[in-house]
Each structure stands twice: as structure tokens, then as C-alpha cells.
Amino acid sequence: MRIFIASIVLAIAYAIASCSARVVQYPSHIRVKRNSYIVQLYPTAQARCVQAIPGIQVSRHFDMFHGVAVSIGDSVHPSQVANIEGVKAVWPNRVFSLQYQNKTTNGSGEYLHQATRVHQAHTELGLNGTGIKIGIIDTGVDYTHPDLGACWKTPNCPWQYGGSYASDSLSPNDPPMDCMGHGTHVSGIIASRGDRVKGVAPQATLGMYRVFTCSSESADTNDANVIAAMEAAFQDGHDIISMSLGSETAWEEDPVAVLASKFVDAGVVMVVANGNSGASGLLTASTPAVGRNVISVGSVDNWNITSAHAIFTTHTGQHSVLFLPSAAPAPPFIIANNTLVVAPTDNTGSALACTNITNDLSGKVALIQRGECTFSEKALNAQNAGAVAVVIYNNVDGMVDMAFDSNILIPGAFISMNDGRMVEESIRSGRTLVRALESDLITVPSPSGGHMSAFSSLGPTAELGLVPLISAPGGNILSTYPQSMGSYTSLSGTSMAAPYVAGAVALLKQARPDITATHIRELLVTTARPIADSSTGLVSNPYSSGGGLINIYDAIRARARIDPPLLSINNTRREHPGPINSYIRPINAYWEIHTLAIQNTDSAKSMRISLAHIAANSLTMFDKNGTLSQQLLTNQTMPTWPTNTSPVPANTLPQVLGIRGNTLVRPGQSTNITVFIAPPLGLPESERWFYGGFINFKLTWDGESTAFSHVVPYAGFNGDMRKLSVLASAPIGLPFLANSEVEPIENVSELTISADTDVYLAVALDLPTRIFAASIVDATNTTRGYLPLGYSDYVGRTLLDEAPYYTIPVNRTVFHDTQMTNSSELSAGSYHVHLKVLRPFGDPARESDFQIWDSDTFKLGD
């Protein structure tokens, strides 16, 4: 058992320079709690140095993080907090969101455990998580659910730890009852004991640390709540902490990521959802998943879907159509009696129903195609026309989750493009009816089963770290749900994949009690199974899948260790590699040489090593001209290479060649294997390709015929990241000066900004940047100061599915320091905006490492 020792504050004098603390400035799109900050202290500082300042109220104390959460009055600026003796850094109290999609369908579950080999760990090895403690930081749990023990902190109850950390007004001793459903769903994935849902580690000891309030109108929490819950889980001595939440500030310097890494250093296994921004492409992993040595988890779609279905009666007969119901708060899609289906048009004559519908839909079901406007707008127009329900069909292949705004009072269903066209054709040909009963369920194979979920966020980190680390089932996962909300449902997200891994780690810890967090991380990666990508004929890039699908049975039985378990590559060399004189491709290419240490942990048998290679697909977000891909912008999918399943010459794929190392390793001994890695051949650097693959070690032991496969994923950039542009350009057309509707201002040279004129700098970032600085320059080319919100550090790239651009006000107010404390008003005259962002791996002290953009000259009026 781990014993928590609180920090000892030394009663000695110390001197810390005034203004030495850093006040972090988040960009405009990052949501923060007003007048609330996270304050990190130096190791010898005491919290009372902060409490003693008028206008500053300490709301939480953090031990492991060594800091406090504070609320400040309007008269106090965060720089005043930073100036307090003993303060190391100050962060705005940022908002976190859950990492899940809206309610989808009821997914069948048993095959999940077969594919991940959890079933074998249960049945052959007898493992169930007994004796392992798992802390869950989430929305709470319906601890009265029969599949989850129907108890709270009673003898033999699975729930022995936890409480409510959702707001300052709740006591940590309050039972963390779940009113949102997410935490109960996560809990069932880990440890459900029922017949309908079988948890991965059903006999684990659990703790639930609720960080979301029931009164919140959105599924959000904040840094202060999360840090407090994390520290409580650590103090309770959990072996594993599972977190299915995150923020898009994807730098490991983030305070929650820093704390998660500290926990790993102290021996706790941190399992965190990687995020659900896959539609925005690469570099979309969230924090704290990007924390150092954290186990970040991507999502794989379920193999089967058990779902409600509707019966459409057409002129050709009855047709069973699988649908995804709209998420709460919309009512369930239940139509007890056959009801007429119509395809309405709006007042522009369009069948997309994006404006007022001209048809009288009283008592009818509206069939509408997806496109041009939101699901809620379509549903509202149908509702206003009298419809009793709406069916929306896709405009591309596949199915997506659908959610309505709270003003939509009619049920909705989403169906596939082919089914929608069938129903539409039937309406044109004659009378079409529909009914859908709550009890009607069908099971169908999922066309994307076993593949990476489209929503799953991708790596790399801002500094080319390889995330996610591992992948697990997360798409269409059936689990427990609060009894007041139906007891069971299916959700999708990396929120569902992370607890699956947490439960699997519990089985590994039960089987190997002395295993370290570092060793667990190694085994999960190296025993995983690379995931096939049917679109290329190769396997998914490690920036999508990490090591691949978790294979816990082989991780438990592993008799080898490989260090490092993964390779992150930033290619910067273009020279002759020396030892590869007879290499099979042109040498004028980027390349890397790495050495891997392989240990035979079998105490009795020698191990033989055979080296192979599995090439993965290459990914990009850019077109040939270096601008953001139209495919990504319009279809939310990334270009891949190879472009289809047609074979390409083998020597154009990424290459791995072993050049040094012994292939026979005695019991308990280690050897070093040196490998040469080269990226794909012939891919244009202007398209910014990210490549990868898997070094595949086939290991056999004396007297055994079966070889065991261990993989080391590698991934990198096909070029030099330090030379890339960070600012987005055409076809997005950014940066630009914009009006209050964030529309580009034409003829900026004729613009005069007065007190009643709203003007903004609109900026999109293709890549993360460590420094973002927007200043205003006068007619003499003298920099007069930063724009309001014009300075931020550790900024993530623009996510297309959230905030497509950042906005910074442009007016007469400027700030003369990066802390945004010392301001003044500019006089009337001619000015322009000067924007600079640091390129990847750039040196802030070197001006040439910044990308620069200047606006046209405009005038500031009186």
C-alpha cells in the first residue's frame, strides 16, 4: 500500500524575486471560470502568503500539486497574485469537458472481451481485479444500481472510496450520485457484475470522485475540481486512476497534465481518454492525456450493434431500418402506431428544411436529408410545422450521433444514406408509414467494427510525442446507466475506451502484483495488435492507434521487456547514413537510427529474436499547395497514403532495418538492437505527411514452437517540423481583420476603428505554438503594445469541430507586458497589427524562428 506523505513546509527565510511568477494567458476560445485561478507555489512557500492578500479568497488547497485555487475580486488582477512571494505560476481556472459522444445505440458487448483477450484472462487465468483499487474521476455513479453493487462504503461493497468534488459548496463526504449518466456508464465498463454488462475487472475495489454538478447546464467542470479530485484519489492509495475528461490545451506543461505525471512518478497508473476531436485531424489529443508517461487511450468501434429499429411500410412491402435516436433531452423515438411519413420542402423550395417548412406536417413524421444547417434547425422547422417526429438521413456513407437543442420537443432518428433514399423514393411512389416500438431490437454487424473510431483524437503532441499510447473498444459500447435514466445504454467516445484499459490494467496488476507503472506502460504498448486500415491495405498509423488494440492476455504472460516501447521521430537529417551503404533506396532522404534494449525476463530459457516490420499508412491534413486539405474541411476525413488498396512498391513504404545486435539472449539477460528507420519515398514535403509503422519482434524461447509478437510503434514527420508554417492560410483565408460577425473586412486601408466599431483579428493555427503574440504597430514602425488577449503561450492548433478560428479584439487599448497588467490608450493615427507565432521546436530568443504576419494599415479614430 502506498502511504501519502504531505509536503513539509520549512520554516526558513527565502527570497524569490518579485514578478518571477508566470501568469498563463489562454487564447480566446479556451473557456475559463471567471475570476478563478490555479496558483502553484514554490516547494518552501506556504498558502497563507496568498490568503493574507485582501481581495483574494482561497477556495481549495492542493498538496501534491503544491498550490491553491483562488477567487479574486474585480479590483484584483492575476498579476498581483503572481507578485506574491512564493508564487511560482498562475493559471486561469480552465473548463474541462467529458470525452464522449452523445447517446447512440445499444451495443452488444461480449465480443469486445474476445478481441482484447480479456475473456481469456477471466476464464483461463481466473483474473477479475480482486485486490486492485481503481479511482474514477467523473460525473459520479448510481451506486444503487444492482450491477454496481447497490451499496456505498459498506462492508464488501465495491465502492469504498470517493466523494463529491464538483463545487466548493459540496462536501467531499457527500456520496457522488450520478445525475448525468457518464460516470455510471464508465463504472460499468470497468466493474459491472451483472449478466447484461460484464465489466473488465468486476471484483476491483472502486472509488468515484465526482467533479461535475447536477445544476450545470453543460457537461463541464474545471481545473480546481479536477485537481482536488485527483489529489483525493491519490491520497486514498489507488493503484489506477481513470479519467475520461479533457481540455484541448494539448501541452504537457498544462497543470493537470503535470500533476498526472507526478502521480505516475509516484507509482500510480494514470489512464486518460485521448479526446474526441478526430474530425479535426492530427494534433488533436487533449490534456491530461498528453502528460508525460500517462497512458492515453484511443477508441476502436464495436464489432456488433444491437439497436432499436423502425418498420417502414412502403409500396414494395415492409422494411426494417436501423436508426440512432437523438440524444436527451429529446424524447425517445417511439411511434406506437403506423404514422404517415412525408418529405417536406422549406420556403426556398429546398428539401433540406433549413428555413420555415411550407407543408402542414400535423400528425406526420418528417423525412429530411442532412446538410447545410444543423440537426436542431431542421428539427425545429419540422416541429414548428406540426410534425410529431423527424427522421434525418445521412448525405454520405455511415452513421453519426445526433443531438438536438433543448427547445426540440419531438423525437428524432438518424438513418443511413441508403435507407433514407429508399424511404424518399417510396414517398414519391406512394403512401409510406413508419412505426418504432421501444422493445424492438435487432443486432447487425458494424461496418466499422474493429477499426479506429472516426471521432478518436489523433497525435502527435505539440512536440511530436506519440499519442494515443494504446486503443480499446470505445465506439457503441453498452454499459450501465442510472436507473432513473433506463439502467443501460450505449455511448461512444474515448471516454469509454479509457475505463476499458483501466480495468485491463487491474487484471495485469492482479496477476503481477509487483509490476511498476513504467513496466505496465511498456507491456500494454508492445503486446498490442496493430489495427487494420481497410482504406489503404496497411495498418492504422500509430498517431491514430498507438500500439494498437489492447491485448491484455499477452501482456500478462509477457516474458520480455523492450525499452523504449515506442519511438517519436523528428527527422532533421538529410545525409548519408554511413552504415547502410547497400540500402535499397536513394540515400537523399530523412532517416533515424535508434537503439532498443530487449530483456529476456524468463529465468530459465534463452530467447531468440527475429526482426520484422509492419508499415502503417501515412497521414496528412494538407493539400499539395501546403494549405489545409479540402477533404478534411468538407468531409472531416484526412488524406492517407497509399490512397487505396492498390499495392505500391515495397521500397516506397516506410523502412526499418536492423543493423546491429545479438539475436540470442540468455535467461535474465538483455541485448541492444540498433535499427535504421526511413520515411516513405516520394511523398512531397509540401503536403506535410506524418508516417509510421511497427517494429515487430518475433520472440521464441528454447523448446517452444510458438513465437510471441512484440511491437514497437514509431511515428514521425516527413521533413523538418522547424520549417513549417503555423498560421493557416488559403483556402481558409486567415489571418484577417474581421467585423462583429467575424466576416473579413474589405479594404482594410480604408478602415477607421472608433469607440463604437467592433473589429477583431481572426486567426487559425494549423499547428500548435509555444508563443502567440499579436501587437499593434504605429506609422513609425514602433510597437506600441499587445492587443487585448493578444499574448498567449502553449496554444493548441485550431480544431475544426470546435472553434475554427481565434478572435482577438483590435481597439485603442494595448498592454505593455505579457501578463496583460500594464495598459494604455492609443491616440488617433495610422496603425497595423503585427502577429508572430513560434514555429515548432523554435527558440523564443531567435526572431527567425517566428512566423510573421502584418495586416494592412488602418486608422484609429478619436
Side-chain angles (χ1 to χ4, degrees):
M1 185 176 82
R2 187 183 65 260
I3 300 175
F4 177 78
I5 303 175
S7 301
I8 300 175
V9 179
L10 302 178
I12 61 174
Y14 54 86
I16 300 174
S18 179
C19 296
S20 62
R22 178 171 67 97
V23 179
V24 173
Q25 302 289 333
Y26 287 131
S28 60
H29 72 289
I30 298 295
R31 291 182 298 151
V32 297
K33 188 176 180 181
R34 186 174 181 272
N35 289 347
S36 182
Y37 293 87
I38 305 298
V39 180
Q40 187 178 28
L41 304 173
Y42 281 98
T44 54
Q46 303 180 44
R48 63 172 177 263
C49 67
V50 178
Q51 290 174 302
I53 307 301
I56 300 176
Q57 181 179 357
V58 175
S59 56
R60 293 189 188 274
H61 292 260
F62 307 130
D63 294 320
M64 192 75 173
F65 181 73
H66 196 63
V68 292
V70 301
S71 298
I72 63 175
D74 291 334
S75 62
V76 179
H77 193 276
S79 64
Q80 295 172 257
V81 182
N83 290 342
I84 298 171
E85 191 175 44
V87 171
K88 183 178 181 181
V90 179
W91 286 272
N93 190 7
R94 182 191 39 189
V95 170
F96 274 74
S97 299
L98 296 167
Q99 299 289 18
Y100 78 115
Q101 308 291 94
N102 295 309
K103 183 186 292 188
T104 56
T105 62
N106 293 320
S108 63
E110 185 56 33
Y111 189 69
L112 305 181
H113 294 339
Q114 298 282 357
T116 59
R117 306 190 79 183
V118 164
H119 179 73
Q120 286 177 274
H122 287 169
T123 58
E124 294 183 21
L125 304 180
L127 300 172
N128 55 22
T130 297
I132 306 303
K133 296 165 64 176
I134 305 175
I136 307 166
I137 297 174
D138 217 289
T139 66
V141 62
D142 180 0
Y143 46 83
T144 68
H145 198 295
D147 289 5
L148 299 175
C151 57
W152 180 253
K153 293 186 178 181
T154 56
N156 300 316
C157 178
W159 300 101
Q160 292 296 323
Y161 303 94
S164 294
Y165 298 82
S167 71
D168 301 340
S169 61
L170 288 174
S171 167
N173 295 322
D174 290 339
M177 178 56 75
D178 186 9
C179 58
M180 296 174 65
H182 186 275
T184 302
H185 195 275
V186 162
S187 300
I189 292 170
I190 294 175
S192 173
R193 300 178 174 187
D195 294 329
R196 188 170 183 183
V197 175
K198 298 178 180 178
V200 180
Q203 295 302 316
T205 301
L206 306 174
M208 173 58 73
Y209 303 81
R210 175 177 151 188
V211 293
F212 293 82
T213 64
C214 291
S215 59
S216 175
E217 294 183 357
S218 60
D220 297 324
T221 185
N222 57 62
D223 280 317
N225 294 343
V226 173
I227 292 173
M230 290 173 69
E231 292 210 336
F234 181 85
Q235 292 175 6
D236 285 340
H238 288 289
D239 303 291
I240 305 157
I241 296 177
S242 178
M243 300 177 65
S244 291
L245 47 78
S247 173
E248 62 194 68
T249 315
W251 290 80
E252 64 179 55
E253 289 80 5
D254 162 90
V256 177
V258 168
L259 184 59
S261 297
K262 282 187 176 182
F263 287 180
V264 177
D265 292 342
V268 179
V269 180
M270 297 296 300
V271 183
V272 183
N274 200 50
N276 294 342
S277 295
S280 288
L282 293 154
L283 295 147
T284 52
S286 64
T287 184
V290 297
R292 177 179 49 82
N293 294 329
V294 166
I295 296 175
S296 52
V297 186
S299 172
V300 173
D301 279 349
N302 193 354
W303 288 259
N304 296 304
I305 301 175
T306 300
S307 174
H309 71 126
I311 301 297
F312 286 86
T313 302
T314 74
H315 66 288
T316 61
Q318 290 190 342
H319 302 269
S320 176
V321 175
L322 183 117
F323 67 84
L324 303 183
S326 53
F333 191 84
I334 300 172
I335 302 174
N337 301 310
N338 279 326
T339 302
L340 186 66
V341 185
V342 297
T345 57
D346 60 28
N347 57 18
T348 69
S350 170
L352 295 176
C354 289
T355 60
N356 291 335
I357 291 174
T358 56
N359 310 67
D360 180 7
L361 302 183
S362 299
K364 302 170 186 174
V365 174
L367 176 75
I368 303 172
Q369 187 180 30
R370 180 189 184 189
E372 289 194 11
C373 59
T374 67
F375 294 137
S376 292
E377 289 172 313
K378 295 174 185 290
L380 181 61
N381 290 329
Q383 178 177 285
N384 289 341
V388 296
V390 59
V391 175
I392 297 178
Y393 68 96
N394 212 346
N395 54 0
V396 294
D397 289 335
M399 304 273 276
V400 300
D401 301 322
M402 182 172 68
F404 292 157
D405 295 337
S406 58
N407 60 342
I408 307 301
L409 306 178
I410 60 174
F414 191 89
I415 64 176
S416 70
M417 178 173 64
N418 288 339
D419 286 335
R421 288 174 175 174
M422 180 273 296
V423 176
E424 186 179 44
E425 174 61 28
S426 171
I427 292 171
R428 285 197 295 264
S429 301
R431 184 178 174 86
T432 300
L433 305 174
V434 64
R435 68 175 175 83
L437 303 181
E438 184 176 16
S439 58
D440 281 353
L441 299 175
I442 57 173
T443 298
V444 297
S446 170
S448 59
H451 297 288
M452 293 303 300
S453 302
F455 56 76
S456 190
S457 288
L458 295 92
T461 68
E463 295 169 320
L464 273 183
L466 204 165
V467 291
L469 195 76
I470 193 74
S471 294
N476 297 320
I477 306 302
L478 176 69
S479 187
T480 49
Y481 217 48
Q483 294 176 89
S484 62
M485 302 168 71
S487 296
Y488 303 94
T489 196
S490 179
L491 298 176
S492 293
T494 55
S495 274
M496 287 61 250
Y500 197 99
V501 171
V505 171
L507 304 183
L508 178 55
K509 287 277 293 180
Q510 181 187 3
R512 304 171 72 163
D514 296 328
I515 194 169
T516 66
T518 298
H519 194 179
I520 288 170
R521 185 172 180 269
E522 292 174 8
L523 288 180
L524 291 183
V525 176
T526 59
T527 60
R529 295 174 172 177
I531 297 170
D533 183 344
S534 58
S535 68
T536 64
L538 301 178
V539 296
S540 292
N541 190 290
Y543 285 146
S544 172
S545 67
L549 181 65
I550 189 171
N551 176 5
I552 198 62
Y553 184 70
D554 280 2
I556 293 167
R557 301 187 305 149
R559 289 177 286 168
R561 294 189 65 176
I562 304 177
D563 182 38
L566 52 85
L567 299 173
S568 297
I569 300 171
N570 177 31
N571 294 309
T572 57
R573 292 173 287 190
R574 189 185 276 274
E575 58 194 55
H576 197 288
I580 315 296
N581 293 320
S582 59
Y583 196 48
I584 61 173
R585 67 158 62 163
I587 292 302
N588 186 29
Y590 293 105
W591 57 273
E592 287 268 338
I593 289 180
H594 290 271
T595 298
L596 301 164
I598 305 180
Q599 180 185 8
N600 177 12
T601 59
D602 193 302
S603 60
K605 297 181 179 181
S606 292
M607 177 182 74
R608 285 173 172 76
I609 303 171
S610 174
L611 176 65
H613 175 239
I614 305 171
N617 59 20
S618 295
L619 304 172
T620 186
M621 299 187 294
F622 303 92
D623 287 331
K624 291 182 179 180
N625 61 0
T627 61
L628 206 62
S629 166
Q630 282 295 318
Q631 179 178 328
L632 182 62
L633 290 171
T634 57
N635 297 330
Q636 291 77 55
T637 59
M638 282 185 298
T640 59
W641 183 87
T643 56
N644 51 49
T645 56
S646 300
V648 297
N651 69 344
T652 64
L653 296 172
Q655 300 289 314
V656 171
L657 184 66
I659 56 178
R660 283 189 296 271
N662 296 323
T663 58
L664 177 65
V665 187
R666 301 296 180 188
Q669 300 299 306
S670 299
T671 189
N672 290 334
I673 301 290
T674 300
V675 295
F676 170 94
I677 301 174
L681 184 65
L683 293 181
E685 287 189 34
S686 64
E687 296 180 22
R688 306 189 193 184
W689 287 95
F690 291 78
Y691 70 96
F694 299 83
I695 304 169
N696 188 10
F697 293 98
K698 299 289 188 179
L699 308 178
T700 56
W701 279 263
D702 286 348
E704 301 178 16
S705 58
T706 302
F708 289 81
S709 177
H710 285 246
V711 297
V712 174
Y714 69 87
F717 177 67
N718 184 41
D720 188 352
M721 287 280 288
R722 295 174 301 187
K723 298 178 181 179
L724 295 184
S725 295
V726 175
L727 297 173
S729 56
I732 295 179
L734 297 163
F736 56 73
L737 295 186
N739 59 24
S740 59
E741 302 299 321
V742 199
E743 299 168 336
I745 295 174
E746 303 292 339
N747 301 319
V748 170
S749 59
E750 300 177 7
L751 172 67
T752 298
I753 301 176
S754 59
D756 57 355
T757 306
D758 291 327
V759 175
Y760 299 90
L761 169 64
V763 183
L765 303 181
D766 283 346
L767 300 173
T769 183
R770 184 179 163 194
I771 295 176
F772 177 101
S775 55
I776 196 163
V777 179
D778 65 19
T780 67
N781 210 32
T782 300
T783 300
R784 301 299 299 273
Y786 295 110
L787 299 175
L789 303 177
Y791 186 90
S792 299
D793 46 11
Y794 299 106
V795 181
R797 63 160 287 234
T798 308
L799 300 185
L800 304 177
D801 60 342
E802 296 186 18
Y805 39 69
Y806 306 151
T807 54
I808 297 98
V810 180
N811 51 46
R812 295 178 62 177
T813 302
V814 293
F815 290 85
H816 304 287
D817 63 329
T818 60
Q819 316 280 20
M820 300 285 144
T821 61
N822 180 17
S823 65
S824 65
E825 297 293 309
L826 296 174
S827 59
S830 296
Y831 299 89
H832 74 271
V833 171
H834 178 74
L835 173 64
K836 67 177 189 178
V837 291
L838 190 64
R839 298 180 191 272
F841 303 101
D843 181 355
R846 186 183 297 123
E847 193 68 18
S848 60
D849 284 357
F850 285 87
Q851 183 183 359
I852 306 296
W853 177 85
D854 289 285
S855 75
D856 290 341
T857 300
F858 54 86
K859 287 183 173 59
L860 290 178
D862 293 325

